[in-house]
Amino acid sequence: GSRVVLSTPQERSKRQDTLGVVAAVKTVIKCGAVAAYLVLMESLDFFYLAVPGPDVLFVLGAIAYFWGLNRFRFAVNAEAVHLPAPRLSPEPWVKYYAAFMAVIGLVLPWMILLSSPKHKILALAPHLYLLMAQVLVEKMSVSLKWAMPVRQLVPIAFNWYRLTALLRWIQLVAFARPNGLVEVWSWADKILVCANFLAWSFNLFGFLVPRVLPQLYSAVHRPWATPDEVEAEAAELMKIAAVRRKRAADAARSASAAPMVSRATSSSSRGGGGV
């Protein structure tokens, strides 16, 4: 038979030390990545001097507001914090959609900013700053285990406010004529700003509001909901689950019956052709 090899205390201690070193290295890498991200984000404000004061105040105010909202309104609902995050969409296109938004919202604007004159930096830096701040606050809300409604409000609030920065960017592209020049924006710049405005408008009104906002009304995530309200919602969810389960079973039966009907029709057609 097979032999069971027991590790010695020295081997176990060595393995634990190795795991500790790996964990420490991962922590250092994460801290370094966060520090580099913060430096890059704040360079838009302190190095390029391209972020308006109201945008900085919005970011600071949003962080304070969401922290206070979680601390004083939702912290008592600790039993719901550890629930799995709701799945926003089961469709496989969502991950490609997120990658597309990251490319047009972060990667391409940074590529333009690093090789642009001052007037272009002043136009696109506010959008970049607000988007990077949004990503930072979203990561913060997850790592600090904020309540789910607070986490879901973060992208909605930032996306809504950032549309104002995109509108300013569009106005500068359409009307600004610095130094008396007739044209200072290329077609690539115009396409990028229009794509960003349309994409983030859809993200707010076509994705976040219809898919994320309804989840804020669940009794599970409302600390002021009574046990009766939670039980009533659970009963309704069980009814909905039963209906959807029956619908899925009917669809599966219809899908499995379709090839049989097709083969039977094909056989009868061949039989009729031979008469």
Side-chain angles (χ1 to χ4, degrees):
S2 59
R3 294 183 303 172
V4 178
V5 179
L6 299 177
S7 60
T8 64
Q10 292 81 6
E11 291 175 342
R12 288 196 297 269
S13 177
K14 185 177 180 180
R15 189 180 302 113
Q16 291 176 354
D17 292 341
T18 303
L19 293 176
V21 171
V22 171
V25 171
K26 289 182 178 179
T27 302
V28 171
I29 293 175
K30 288 181 180 179
C31 292
V34 171
Y37 187 89
L38 286 172
V39 169
L40 192 63
M41 186 181 81
E42 290 303 325
S43 69
L44 295 170
D45 186 20
F46 294 103
F47 179 72
Y48 291 102
L49 302 176
V51 182
D55 293 349
V56 178
L57 291 177
F58 171 81
V59 172
L60 297 177
I63 293 174
Y65 172 74
F66 288 128
W67 177 86
L69 187 65
N70 179 78
R71 174 66 180 82
F72 298 108
R73 189 52 170 161
F74 289 96
V76 295
N77 198 26
E79 66 274 8
V81 171
H82 301 288
L83 293 175
R87 185 174 57 172
L88 298 182
S89 178
E91 292 87 352
W93 58 265
V94 173
K95 60 180 180 180
Y96 301 108
Y97 170 75
F100 170 77
M101 299 298 282
V103 169
I104 69 168
L106 284 174
V107 178
L108 294 180
W110 264 111
M111 291 174 62
I112 292 178
L113 182 141
L114 293 174
S115 60
S116 295
K118 185 68 174 180
H119 69 275
K120 289 188 179 183
I121 295 175
L122 291 174
L124 61 88
H127 158 74
L128 265 178
Y129 180 83
L130 291 169
L131 182 54
M132 295 183 72
Q134 174 184 332
V135 174
L136 183 66
V137 178
E138 287 182 6
K139 297 298 184 182
M140 182 191 308
S141 69
V142 174
S143 62
L144 296 180
K145 296 182 179 180
W146 286 358
M148 194 59 63
V150 181
R151 297 188 208 177
Q152 294 168 338
L153 281 175
V154 170
I156 294 176
F158 271 89
N159 199 150
W160 169 80
Y161 183 81
R162 194 156 31 79
L163 289 180
T164 61
L166 288 170
L167 283 174
R168 294 197 302 267
W169 188 3
I170 289 177
Q171 290 175 346
L172 290 172
V173 170
F175 304 112
R177 295 292 184 270
N179 302 325
L181 298 178
V182 176
E183 187 62 61
V184 294
W185 295 92
S186 67
W187 278 106
D189 299 325
K190 295 177 181 179
I191 292 173
L192 180 62
V193 64
C194 291
N196 266 279
F197 183 77
L198 294 176
W200 292 109
S201 296
F202 170 80
N203 189 66
L204 177 61
F205 299 109
F207 187 80
L208 293 177
V209 170
R211 292 177 181 266
V212 174
L213 195 59
Q215 299 172 18
L216 301 179
Y217 300 101
S218 172
V220 175
H221 298 297
R222 293 200 305 267
W224 55 88
T226 64
D228 291 339
E229 289 176 333
V230 176
E231 291 177 359
E233 182 178 282
E236 290 297 323
L237 289 175
M238 292 298 292
K239 294 178 183 178
I240 295 173
V243 171
R244 293 186 177 180
R245 193 176 295 112
K246 181 178 182 301
R247 187 185 304 161
D250 293 341
R253 281 195 296 269
S254 299
S256 61
M260 299 175 61
V261 173
S262 176
R263 287 195 297 268
T265 304
S266 176
S267 299
S268 62
S269 300
R270 289 195 297 271
V275 176

